[in-house]
mmCIF file of all heavy atoms in Angstrom:
data_model
loop_
_atom_site.group_PDB
_atom_site.id
_atom_site.type_symbol
_atom_site.label_atom_id
_atom_site.label_comp_id
_atom_site.label_asym_id
_atom_site.label_seq_id
_atom_site.Cartn_x
_atom_site.Cartn_y
_atom_site.Cartn_z
ATOM 1 N N MET A 1 32.295 67.770 49.619
ATOM 2 C CA MET A 1 33.084 67.612 50.841
ATOM 3 C C MET A 1 34.532 67.273 50.498
ATOM 4 O O MET A 1 34.798 66.415 49.672
ATOM 5 C CB MET A 1 32.485 66.482 51.690
ATOM 6 C CG MET A 1 32.964 66.504 53.125
ATOM 7 S SD MET A 1 32.457 64.976 53.948
ATOM 8 C CE MET A 1 34.048 64.351 54.367
ATOM 9 N N VAL A 2 35.426 67.970 51.132
ATOM 10 C CA VAL A 2 36.854 67.741 50.887
ATOM 11 C C VAL A 2 37.449 66.989 52.073
ATOM 12 O O VAL A 2 37.379 67.445 53.207
ATOM 13 C CB VAL A 2 37.602 69.075 50.668
ATOM 14 C CG1 VAL A 2 39.090 68.826 50.467
ATOM 15 C CG2 VAL A 2 37.031 69.811 49.467
ATOM 16 N N THR A 3 37.979 65.834 51.794
ATOM 17 C CA THR A 3 38.579 65.030 52.868
ATOM 18 C C THR A 3 39.951 65.573 53.233
ATOM 19 O O THR A 3 40.574 66.282 52.464
ATOM 20 C CB THR A 3 38.726 63.559 52.440
ATOM 21 O OG1 THR A 3 39.590 63.515 51.315
ATOM 22 C CG2 THR A 3 37.394 62.952 52.087
ATOM 23 N N LYS A 4 40.413 65.190 54.397
ATOM 24 C CA LYS A 4 41.700 65.669 54.878
ATOM 25 C C LYS A 4 42.836 65.177 53.985
ATOM 26 O O LYS A 4 43.711 65.935 53.615
ATOM 27 C CB LYS A 4 41.919 65.199 56.317
ATOM 28 C CG LYS A 4 43.086 65.887 56.988
ATOM 29 C CD LYS A 4 43.071 65.616 58.476
ATOM 30 C CE LYS A 4 44.200 66.344 59.186
ATOM 31 N NZ LYS A 4 45.507 65.736 58.919
ATOM 32 N N SER A 5 42.777 63.905 53.643
ATOM 33 C CA SER A 5 43.835 63.335 52.809
ATOM 34 C C SER A 5 43.923 64.071 51.481
ATOM 35 O O SER A 5 44.984 64.194 50.891
ATOM 36 C CB SER A 5 43.570 61.858 52.559
ATOM 37 O OG SER A 5 42.382 61.701 51.829
ATOM 38 N N CYS A 6 42.802 64.568 51.046
ATOM 39 C CA CYS A 6 42.728 65.284 49.783
ATOM 40 C C CYS A 6 43.447 66.632 49.868
ATOM 41 O O CYS A 6 44.204 66.993 48.978
ATOM 42 C CB CYS A 6 41.266 65.498 49.432
ATOM 43 S SG CYS A 6 41.011 66.178 47.819
ATOM 44 N N THR A 7 43.206 67.357 50.920
ATOM 45 C CA THR A 7 43.812 68.682 51.047
ATOM 46 C C THR A 7 45.311 68.605 51.302
ATOM 47 O O THR A 7 46.029 69.567 51.074
ATOM 48 C CB THR A 7 43.138 69.495 52.176
ATOM 49 O OG1 THR A 7 43.240 68.765 53.391
ATOM 50 C CG2 THR A 7 41.688 69.775 51.878
ATOM 51 N N GLU A 8 45.759 67.466 51.787
ATOM 52 C CA GLU A 8 47.194 67.302 52.028
ATOM 53 C C GLU A 8 47.965 67.030 50.746
ATOM 54 O O GLU A 8 49.180 67.146 50.709
ATOM 55 C CB GLU A 8 47.426 66.158 53.034
ATOM 56 C CG GLU A 8 47.153 66.580 54.460
ATOM 57 C CD GLU A 8 47.106 65.405 55.420
ATOM 58 O OE1 GLU A 8 47.233 64.251 54.973
ATOM 59 O OE2 GLU A 8 46.947 65.663 56.622
ATOM 60 N N LYS A 9 47.259 66.669 49.725
ATOM 61 C CA LYS A 9 47.901 66.387 48.438
ATOM 62 C C LYS A 9 48.103 67.674 47.666
ATOM 63 O O LYS A 9 47.407 68.668 47.890
ATOM 64 C CB LYS A 9 47.009 65.464 47.603
ATOM 65 C CG LYS A 9 47.055 64.040 48.024
ATOM 66 C CD LYS A 9 46.121 63.249 47.127
ATOM 67 C CE LYS A 9 45.651 61.976 47.791
ATOM 68 N NZ LYS A 9 44.433 61.481 47.143
ATOM 69 N N LYS A 10 49.032 67.605 46.723
ATOM 70 C CA LYS A 10 49.214 68.710 45.805
ATOM 71 C C LYS A 10 47.975 68.778 44.920
ATOM 72 O O LYS A 10 47.514 67.773 44.407
ATOM 73 C CB LYS A 10 50.466 68.443 44.950
ATOM 74 C CG LYS A 10 51.187 69.705 44.556
ATOM 75 C CD LYS A 10 52.551 69.355 43.997
ATOM 76 C CE LYS A 10 53.217 70.534 43.312
ATOM 77 N NZ LYS A 10 53.271 71.765 44.109
ATOM 78 N N ARG A 11 47.440 69.988 44.781
ATOM 79 C CA ARG A 11 46.194 70.127 44.041
ATOM 80 C C ARG A 11 46.331 71.154 42.923
ATOM 81 O O ARG A 11 46.967 72.198 43.112
ATOM 82 C CB ARG A 11 45.096 70.560 45.011
ATOM 83 C CG ARG A 11 43.741 70.640 44.396
ATOM 84 C CD ARG A 11 42.731 71.229 45.349
ATOM 85 N NE ARG A 11 41.487 71.471 44.651
ATOM 86 C CZ ARG A 11 41.262 72.565 43.913
ATOM 87 N NH1 ARG A 11 42.162 73.502 43.829
ATOM 88 N NH2 ARG A 11 40.122 72.709 43.270
ATOM 89 N N PHE A 12 45.730 70.864 41.798
ATOM 90 C CA PHE A 12 45.758 71.785 40.665
ATOM 91 C C PHE A 12 44.342 72.090 40.221
ATOM 92 O O PHE A 12 43.454 71.255 40.316
ATOM 93 C CB PHE A 12 46.534 71.161 39.500
ATOM 94 C CG PHE A 12 47.954 70.835 39.870
ATOM 95 C CD1 PHE A 12 48.284 69.564 40.306
ATOM 96 C CD2 PHE A 12 48.932 71.801 39.820
ATOM 97 C CE1 PHE A 12 49.592 69.261 40.671
ATOM 98 C CE2 PHE A 12 50.237 71.516 40.185
ATOM 99 C CZ PHE A 12 50.565 70.241 40.611
ATOM 100 N N ASP A 13 44.166 73.288 39.706
ATOM 101 C CA ASP A 13 42.838 73.714 39.275
ATOM 102 C C ASP A 13 42.472 73.168 37.900
ATOM 103 O O ASP A 13 41.303 73.084 37.557
ATOM 104 C CB ASP A 13 42.752 75.237 39.243
ATOM 105 C CG ASP A 13 42.773 75.832 40.642
ATOM 106 O OD1 ASP A 13 42.239 75.189 41.567
ATOM 107 O OD2 ASP A 13 43.320 76.935 40.800
ATOM 108 N N SER A 14 43.482 72.840 37.119
ATOM 109 C CA SER A 14 43.191 72.331 35.782
ATOM 110 C C SER A 14 44.159 71.222 35.399
ATOM 111 O O SER A 14 45.251 71.099 35.953
ATOM 112 C CB SER A 14 43.281 73.463 34.752
ATOM 113 O OG SER A 14 44.629 73.864 34.591
ATOM 114 N N GLU A 15 43.749 70.440 34.428
ATOM 115 C CA GLU A 15 44.581 69.347 33.945
ATOM 116 C C GLU A 15 45.850 69.898 33.297
ATOM 117 O O GLU A 15 46.933 69.340 33.445
ATOM 118 C CB GLU A 15 43.790 68.522 32.935
ATOM 119 C CG GLU A 15 44.554 67.287 32.494
ATOM 120 C CD GLU A 15 43.783 66.454 31.475
ATOM 121 O OE1 GLU A 15 42.682 66.860 31.079
ATOM 122 O OE2 GLU A 15 44.306 65.401 31.091
ATOM 123 N N ILE A 16 45.721 70.993 32.604
ATOM 124 C CA ILE A 16 46.869 71.617 31.923
ATOM 125 C C ILE A 16 47.931 72.005 32.931
ATOM 126 O O ILE A 16 49.118 71.761 32.727
ATOM 127 C CB ILE A 16 46.399 72.844 31.105
ATOM 128 C CG1 ILE A 16 45.530 72.389 29.924
ATOM 129 C CG2 ILE A 16 47.596 73.652 30.605
ATOM 130 C CD1 ILE A 16 44.633 73.472 29.344
ATOM 131 N N GLU A 17 47.494 72.584 34.005
ATOM 132 C CA GLU A 17 48.395 72.993 35.080
ATOM 133 C C GLU A 17 49.108 71.782 35.679
ATOM 134 O O GLU A 17 50.308 71.791 35.924
ATOM 135 C CB GLU A 17 47.565 73.692 36.158
ATOM 136 C CG GLU A 17 48.268 74.810 36.874
ATOM 137 C CD GLU A 17 47.326 75.468 37.869
ATOM 138 O OE1 GLU A 17 46.298 76.020 37.430
ATOM 139 O OE2 GLU A 17 47.610 75.403 39.063
ATOM 140 N N ALA A 18 48.352 70.742 35.909
ATOM 141 C CA ALA A 18 48.899 69.513 36.484
ATOM 142 C C ALA A 18 49.910 68.869 35.544
ATOM 143 O O ALA A 18 50.957 68.399 35.965
ATOM 144 C CB ALA A 18 47.765 68.540 36.784
ATOM 145 N N ARG A 19 49.617 68.866 34.268
ATOM 146 C CA ARG A 19 50.519 68.277 33.276
ATOM 147 C C ARG A 19 51.842 69.029 33.228
ATOM 148 O O ARG A 19 52.907 68.435 33.106
ATOM 149 C CB ARG A 19 49.877 68.319 31.874
ATOM 150 C CG ARG A 19 48.870 67.234 31.667
ATOM 151 C CD ARG A 19 48.302 67.297 30.258
ATOM 152 N NE ARG A 19 47.205 66.368 30.095
ATOM 153 C CZ ARG A 19 47.372 65.068 29.825
ATOM 154 N NH1 ARG A 19 48.575 64.572 29.684
ATOM 155 N NH2 ARG A 19 46.329 64.286 29.697
ATOM 156 N N ARG A 20 51.752 70.333 33.322
ATOM 157 C CA ARG A 20 52.945 71.172 33.274
ATOM 158 C C ARG A 20 53.838 70.878 34.478
ATOM 159 O O ARG A 20 55.046 70.738 34.358
ATOM 160 C CB ARG A 20 52.515 72.645 33.283
ATOM 161 C CG ARG A 20 53.602 73.586 32.829
ATOM 162 C CD ARG A 20 53.097 75.021 32.838
ATOM 163 N NE ARG A 20 52.040 75.258 31.865
ATOM 164 C CZ ARG A 20 51.011 76.104 32.048
ATOM 165 N NH1 ARG A 20 50.880 76.755 33.168
ATOM 166 N NH2 ARG A 20 50.114 76.271 31.108
ATOM 167 N N GLU A 21 53.220 70.764 35.633
ATOM 168 C CA GLU A 21 53.956 70.502 36.861
ATOM 169 C C GLU A 21 54.530 69.080 36.873
ATOM 170 O O GLU A 21 55.611 68.848 37.391
ATOM 171 C CB GLU A 21 53.019 70.719 38.056
ATOM 172 C CG GLU A 21 53.651 70.506 39.412
ATOM 173 C CD GLU A 21 54.702 71.563 39.766
ATOM 174 O OE1 GLU A 21 54.718 72.643 39.150
ATOM 175 O OE2 GLU A 21 55.513 71.281 40.673
ATOM 176 N N ARG A 22 53.816 68.174 36.270
ATOM 177 C CA ARG A 22 54.256 66.775 36.256
ATOM 178 C C ARG A 22 55.615 66.612 35.571
ATOM 179 O O ARG A 22 56.429 65.801 35.992
ATOM 180 C CB ARG A 22 53.210 65.908 35.550
ATOM 181 C CG ARG A 22 53.572 64.431 35.590
ATOM 182 C CD ARG A 22 52.467 63.560 35.102
ATOM 183 N NE ARG A 22 52.185 63.816 33.689
ATOM 184 C CZ ARG A 22 51.405 63.036 32.941
ATOM 185 N NH1 ARG A 22 50.808 61.999 33.464
ATOM 186 N NH2 ARG A 22 51.189 63.315 31.680
ATOM 187 N N ILE A 23 55.851 67.381 34.546
ATOM 188 C CA ILE A 23 57.129 67.321 33.827
ATOM 189 C C ILE A 23 58.285 67.552 34.795
ATOM 190 O O ILE A 23 59.267 66.827 34.787
ATOM 191 C CB ILE A 23 57.160 68.364 32.682
ATOM 192 C CG1 ILE A 23 56.108 68.019 31.621
ATOM 193 C CG2 ILE A 23 58.552 68.427 32.062
ATOM 194 C CD1 ILE A 23 55.812 69.158 30.648
ATOM 195 N N HIS A 24 58.139 68.549 35.644
ATOM 196 C CA HIS A 24 59.191 68.888 36.605
ATOM 197 C C HIS A 24 59.311 67.827 37.707
ATOM 198 O O HIS A 24 60.398 67.439 38.092
ATOM 199 C CB HIS A 24 58.904 70.253 37.240
ATOM 200 C CG HIS A 24 58.815 71.345 36.232
ATOM 201 N ND1 HIS A 24 59.905 71.767 35.504
ATOM 202 C CD2 HIS A 24 57.764 72.090 35.803
ATOM 203 C CE1 HIS A 24 59.521 72.733 34.678
ATOM 204 N NE2 HIS A 24 58.237 72.947 34.834
ATOM 205 N N ILE A 25 58.178 67.390 38.181
ATOM 206 C CA ILE A 25 58.139 66.416 39.284
ATOM 207 C C ILE A 25 58.731 65.079 38.852
ATOM 208 O O ILE A 25 59.472 64.457 39.580
ATOM 209 C CB ILE A 25 56.677 66.255 39.776
ATOM 210 C CG1 ILE A 25 56.236 67.585 40.382
ATOM 211 C CG2 ILE A 25 56.539 65.080 40.728
ATOM 212 C CD1 ILE A 25 55.508 67.535 41.668
ATOM 213 N N GLU A 26 58.413 64.665 37.641
ATOM 214 C CA GLU A 26 58.944 63.384 37.159
ATOM 215 C C GLU A 26 60.448 63.438 37.023
ATOM 216 O O GLU A 26 61.145 62.461 37.272
ATOM 217 C CB GLU A 26 58.282 63.003 35.829
ATOM 218 C CG GLU A 26 56.858 62.541 36.026
ATOM 219 C CD GLU A 26 56.233 61.990 34.764
ATOM 220 O OE1 GLU A 26 56.731 62.274 33.655
ATOM 221 O OE2 GLU A 26 55.216 61.276 34.886
ATOM 222 N N LYS A 27 60.967 64.578 36.627
ATOM 223 C CA LYS A 27 62.415 64.761 36.515
ATOM 224 C C LYS A 27 63.050 64.733 37.897
ATOM 225 O O LYS A 27 64.079 64.100 38.113
ATOM 226 C CB LYS A 27 62.716 66.120 35.864
ATOM 227 C CG LYS A 27 63.075 66.012 34.401
ATOM 228 C CD LYS A 27 63.493 67.362 33.860
ATOM 229 C CE LYS A 27 63.239 67.452 32.362
ATOM 230 N NZ LYS A 27 63.333 68.830 31.881
ATOM 231 N N GLU A 28 62.435 65.440 38.806
ATOM 232 C CA GLU A 28 62.989 65.583 40.141
ATOM 233 C C GLU A 28 63.012 64.250 40.898
ATOM 234 O O GLU A 28 63.999 63.902 41.541
ATOM 235 C CB GLU A 28 62.169 66.615 40.920
ATOM 236 C CG GLU A 28 62.871 67.080 42.175
ATOM 237 C CD GLU A 28 62.092 68.181 42.882
ATOM 238 O OE1 GLU A 28 61.303 68.878 42.214
ATOM 239 O OE2 GLU A 28 62.279 68.334 44.100
ATOM 240 N N PHE A 29 61.919 63.511 40.836
ATOM 241 C CA PHE A 29 61.816 62.275 41.618
ATOM 242 C C PHE A 29 62.113 61.023 40.800
ATOM 243 O O PHE A 29 62.111 59.915 41.327
ATOM 244 C CB PHE A 29 60.442 62.183 42.270
ATOM 245 C CG PHE A 29 60.187 63.290 43.264
ATOM 246 C CD1 PHE A 29 59.419 64.393 42.923
ATOM 247 C CD2 PHE A 29 60.746 63.227 44.535
ATOM 248 C CE1 PHE A 29 59.198 65.425 43.833
ATOM 249 C CE2 PHE A 29 60.529 64.255 45.449
ATOM 250 C CZ PHE A 29 59.756 65.350 45.095
ATOM 251 N N LYS A 30 62.329 61.216 39.506
ATOM 252 C CA LYS A 30 62.609 60.093 38.602
ATOM 253 C C LYS A 30 61.564 58.981 38.746
ATOM 254 O O LYS A 30 61.870 57.805 38.870
ATOM 255 C CB LYS A 30 64.024 59.550 38.838
ATOM 256 C CG LYS A 30 65.091 60.585 38.530
ATOM 257 C CD LYS A 30 66.498 60.009 38.602
ATOM 258 C CE LYS A 30 67.521 60.928 37.942
ATOM 259 N NZ LYS A 30 67.493 62.310 38.452
ATOM 260 N N LYS A 31 60.311 59.419 38.750
ATOM 261 C CA LYS A 31 59.174 58.502 38.847
ATOM 262 C C LYS A 31 58.143 58.925 37.826
ATOM 263 O O LYS A 31 58.170 60.057 37.343
ATOM 264 C CB LYS A 31 58.524 58.614 40.223
ATOM 265 C CG LYS A 31 59.170 57.809 41.310
ATOM 266 C CD LYS A 31 58.310 57.971 42.553
ATOM 267 C CE LYS A 31 58.957 57.404 43.786
ATOM 268 N NZ LYS A 31 58.142 57.737 44.971
ATOM 269 N N LYS A 32 57.220 58.032 37.554
ATOM 270 C CA LYS A 32 56.110 58.380 36.676
ATOM 271 C C LYS A 32 54.874 58.667 37.517
ATOM 272 O O LYS A 32 54.587 57.973 38.484
ATOM 273 C CB LYS A 32 55.823 57.226 35.700
ATOM 274 C CG LYS A 32 56.904 57.051 34.661
ATOM 275 C CD LYS A 32 56.803 58.143 33.611
ATOM 276 C CE LYS A 32 58.018 58.119 32.669
ATOM 277 N NZ LYS A 32 58.078 59.358 31.872
ATOM 278 N N TYR A 33 54.165 59.695 37.107
ATOM 279 C CA TYR A 33 52.951 60.060 37.833
ATOM 280 C C TYR A 33 51.755 60.065 36.902
ATOM 281 O O TYR A 33 51.851 60.431 35.735
ATOM 282 C CB TYR A 33 53.108 61.444 38.464
ATOM 283 C CG TYR A 33 54.087 61.457 39.610
ATOM 284 C CD1 TYR A 33 55.446 61.667 39.378
ATOM 285 C CD2 TYR A 33 53.665 61.236 40.907
ATOM 286 C CE1 TYR A 33 56.354 61.658 40.426
ATOM 287 C CE2 TYR A 33 54.567 61.228 41.956
ATOM 288 C CZ TYR A 33 55.911 61.438 41.717
ATOM 289 O OH TYR A 33 56.798 61.415 42.735
ATOM 290 N N ARG A 34 50.645 59.710 37.484
ATOM 291 C CA ARG A 34 49.381 59.722 36.776
ATOM 292 C C ARG A 34 48.597 60.928 37.270
ATOM 293 O O ARG A 34 48.636 61.254 38.453
ATOM 294 C CB ARG A 34 48.619 58.435 37.113
ATOM 295 C CG ARG A 34 47.434 58.122 36.267
ATOM 296 C CD ARG A 34 46.892 56.742 36.653
ATOM 297 N NE ARG A 34 46.383 56.735 38.028
ATOM 298 C CZ ARG A 34 45.112 57.050 38.348
ATOM 299 N NH1 ARG A 34 44.247 57.369 37.405
ATOM 300 N NH2 ARG A 34 44.723 57.023 39.591
ATOM 301 N N ILE A 35 47.899 61.579 36.374
ATOM 302 C CA ILE A 35 47.070 62.716 36.765
ATOM 303 C C ILE A 35 45.622 62.254 36.803
ATOM 304 O O ILE A 35 45.168 61.565 35.887
ATOM 305 C CB ILE A 35 47.217 63.877 35.755
ATOM 306 C CG1 ILE A 35 48.650 64.426 35.768
ATOM 307 C CG2 ILE A 35 46.236 64.990 36.068
ATOM 308 C CD1 ILE A 35 48.947 65.317 34.576
ATOM 309 N N TYR A 36 44.914 62.607 37.850
ATOM 310 C CA TYR A 36 43.500 62.236 37.891
ATOM 311 C C TYR A 36 42.656 63.372 38.447
ATOM 312 O O TYR A 36 43.123 64.190 39.230
ATOM 313 C CB TYR A 36 43.294 60.957 38.718
ATOM 314 C CG TYR A 36 43.574 61.122 40.201
ATOM 315 C CD1 TYR A 36 42.533 61.436 41.082
ATOM 316 C CD2 TYR A 36 44.862 60.972 40.698
ATOM 317 C CE1 TYR A 36 42.778 61.584 42.430
ATOM 318 C CE2 TYR A 36 45.120 61.130 42.050
ATOM 319 C CZ TYR A 36 44.073 61.434 42.915
ATOM 320 O OH TYR A 36 44.310 61.603 44.246
ATOM 321 N N GLU A 37 41.416 63.430 38.000
ATOM 322 C CA GLU A 37 40.486 64.440 38.469
ATOM 323 C C GLU A 37 39.862 63.931 39.756
ATOM 324 O O GLU A 37 39.411 62.798 39.839
ATOM 325 C CB GLU A 37 39.409 64.698 37.412
ATOM 326 C CG GLU A 37 38.578 65.913 37.731
ATOM 327 C CD GLU A 37 37.651 66.278 36.581
ATOM 328 O OE1 GLU A 37 37.427 65.456 35.681
ATOM 329 O OE2 GLU A 37 37.147 67.420 36.597
ATOM 330 N N CYS A 38 39.851 64.817 40.756
ATOM 331 C CA CYS A 38 39.373 64.426 42.070
ATOM 332 C C CYS A 38 37.881 64.732 42.231
ATOM 333 O O CYS A 38 37.425 65.827 41.937
ATOM 334 C CB CYS A 38 40.180 65.183 43.117
ATOM 335 S SG CYS A 38 39.715 64.793 44.788
ATOM 336 N N ASN A 39 37.152 63.734 42.692
ATOM 337 C CA ASN A 39 35.712 63.920 42.897
ATOM 338 C C ASN A 39 35.409 64.720 44.156
ATOM 339 O O ASN A 39 34.320 65.247 44.309
ATOM 340 C CB ASN A 39 35.025 62.561 42.998
ATOM 341 C CG ASN A 39 35.111 61.793 41.694
ATOM 342 O OD1 ASN A 39 35.017 62.384 40.617
ATOM 343 N ND2 ASN A 39 35.284 60.498 41.785
ATOM 344 N N GLU A 40 36.369 64.775 45.037
ATOM 345 C CA GLU A 40 36.147 65.416 46.337
ATOM 346 C C GLU A 40 36.290 66.936 46.255
ATOM 347 O O GLU A 40 35.493 67.672 46.809
ATOM 348 C CB GLU A 40 37.147 64.879 47.359
ATOM 349 C CG GLU A 40 37.345 63.388 47.305
ATOM 350 C CD GLU A 40 36.685 62.689 48.474
ATOM 351 O OE1 GLU A 40 36.339 63.356 49.448
ATOM 352 O OE2 GLU A 40 36.526 61.464 48.400
ATOM 353 N N CYS A 41 37.338 67.392 45.575
ATOM 354 C CA CYS A 41 37.599 68.834 45.555
ATOM 355 C C CYS A 41 37.493 69.416 44.147
ATOM 356 O O CYS A 41 37.712 70.597 43.949
ATOM 357 C CB CYS A 41 38.982 69.120 46.139
ATOM 358 S SG CYS A 41 40.333 68.521 45.105
ATOM 359 N N ASN A 42 37.164 68.574 43.168
ATOM 360 C CA ASN A 42 37.072 68.998 41.780
ATOM 361 C C ASN A 42 38.364 69.588 41.236
ATOM 362 O O ASN A 42 38.356 70.343 40.281
ATOM 363 C CB ASN A 42 35.918 69.986 41.578
ATOM 364 C CG ASN A 42 34.572 69.342 41.787
ATOM 365 O OD1 ASN A 42 34.307 68.267 41.275
ATOM 366 N ND2 ASN A 42 33.730 69.984 42.573
ATOM 367 N N GLY A 43 39.460 69.223 41.890
ATOM 368 C CA GLY A 43 40.769 69.620 41.395
ATOM 369 C C GLY A 43 41.464 68.419 40.772
ATOM 370 O O GLY A 43 40.838 67.398 40.517
ATOM 371 N N TRP A 44 42.749 68.551 40.554
ATOM 372 C CA TRP A 44 43.531 67.482 39.945
ATOM 373 C C TRP A 44 44.691 67.140 40.865
ATOM 374 O O TRP A 44 45.315 68.033 41.450
ATOM 375 C CB TRP A 44 44.049 67.926 38.579
ATOM 376 C CG TRP A 44 42.951 68.178 37.601
ATOM 377 C CD1 TRP A 44 42.146 69.280 37.559
ATOM 378 C CD2 TRP A 44 42.511 67.327 36.555
ATOM 379 N NE1 TRP A 44 41.229 69.152 36.530
ATOM 380 C CE2 TRP A 44 41.437 67.961 35.907
ATOM 381 C CE3 TRP A 44 42.931 66.060 36.105
ATOM 382 C CZ2 TRP A 44 40.778 67.379 34.820
ATOM 383 C CZ3 TRP A 44 42.273 65.492 35.018
ATOM 384 C CH2 TRP A 44 41.203 66.147 34.390
ATOM 385 N N HIS A 45 44.983 65.842 40.957
ATOM 386 C CA HIS A 45 46.091 65.394 41.790
ATOM 387 C C HIS A 45 46.995 64.453 41.007
ATOM 388 O O HIS A 45 46.620 63.961 39.950
ATOM 389 C CB HIS A 45 45.586 64.616 43.010
ATOM 390 C CG HIS A 45 44.686 65.374 43.909
ATOM 391 N ND1 HIS A 45 45.082 66.482 44.625
ATOM 392 C CD2 HIS A 45 43.390 65.174 44.235
ATOM 393 C CE1 HIS A 45 44.062 66.910 45.343
ATOM 394 N NE2 HIS A 45 43.019 66.146 45.121
ATOM 395 N N PHE A 46 48.143 64.176 41.601
ATOM 396 C CA PHE A 46 49.034 63.160 41.059
ATOM 397 C C PHE A 46 48.875 61.890 41.866
ATOM 398 O O PHE A 46 48.618 61.937 43.057
ATOM 399 C CB PHE A 46 50.502 63.586 41.227
ATOM 400 C CG PHE A 46 50.896 64.776 40.410
ATOM 401 C CD1 PHE A 46 51.772 65.717 40.921
ATOM 402 C CD2 PHE A 46 50.412 64.953 39.132
ATOM 403 C CE1 PHE A 46 52.152 66.816 40.184
ATOM 404 C CE2 PHE A 46 50.794 66.058 38.373
ATOM 405 C CZ PHE A 46 51.676 66.983 38.915
ATOM 406 N N SER A 47 49.087 60.784 41.206
ATOM 407 C CA SER A 47 49.267 59.548 41.945
ATOM 408 C C SER A 47 50.438 58.813 41.313
ATOM 409 O O SER A 47 50.665 58.920 40.114
ATOM 410 C CB SER A 47 48.004 58.696 41.934
ATOM 411 O OG SER A 47 47.836 58.120 40.668
ATOM 412 N N THR A 48 51.204 58.098 42.123
ATOM 413 C CA THR A 48 52.373 57.407 41.592
ATOM 414 C C THR A 48 51.973 56.158 40.830
ATOM 415 O O THR A 48 50.967 55.521 41.147
ATOM 416 C CB THR A 48 53.345 57.014 42.727
ATOM 417 O OG1 THR A 48 52.596 56.523 43.816
ATOM 418 C CG2 THR A 48 54.163 58.207 43.177
ATOM 419 N N ILE A 49 52.737 55.839 39.831
ATOM 420 C CA ILE A 49 52.535 54.606 39.076
ATOM 421 C C ILE A 49 53.611 53.621 39.490
ATOM 422 O O ILE A 49 54.788 53.934 39.450
ATOM 423 C CB ILE A 49 52.630 54.872 37.559
ATOM 424 C CG1 ILE A 49 51.588 55.899 37.135
ATOM 425 C CG2 ILE A 49 52.471 53.564 36.778
ATOM 426 C CD1 ILE A 49 51.781 56.432 35.726
ATOM 427 N N ASN A 50 53.185 52.464 39.924
ATOM 428 C CA ASN A 50 54.154 51.453 40.352
ATOM 429 C C ASN A 50 54.372 50.417 39.255
ATOM 430 O O ASN A 50 53.472 50.030 38.594
ATOM 431 C CB ASN A 50 53.661 50.752 41.626
ATOM 432 C CG ASN A 50 53.571 51.733 42.774
ATOM 433 O OD1 ASN A 50 54.520 52.480 43.035
ATOM 434 N ND2 ASN A 50 52.430 51.773 43.430
HETATM 435 ZN ZN1 ZN B 1 41.031 66.391 45.786
#
């Protein structure tokens, strides 16, 4: 089951894909992001590190 909050997030099919995108996102937003595997959609998402 895929929750609504899950589908609203940026989703990646693989960790490699997510890592590649993270490089750009971290530069753009000047923040650090953590990559995690999602149990709901079996994809990968970012979460911010505070
Ligand atoms: Zn998900």
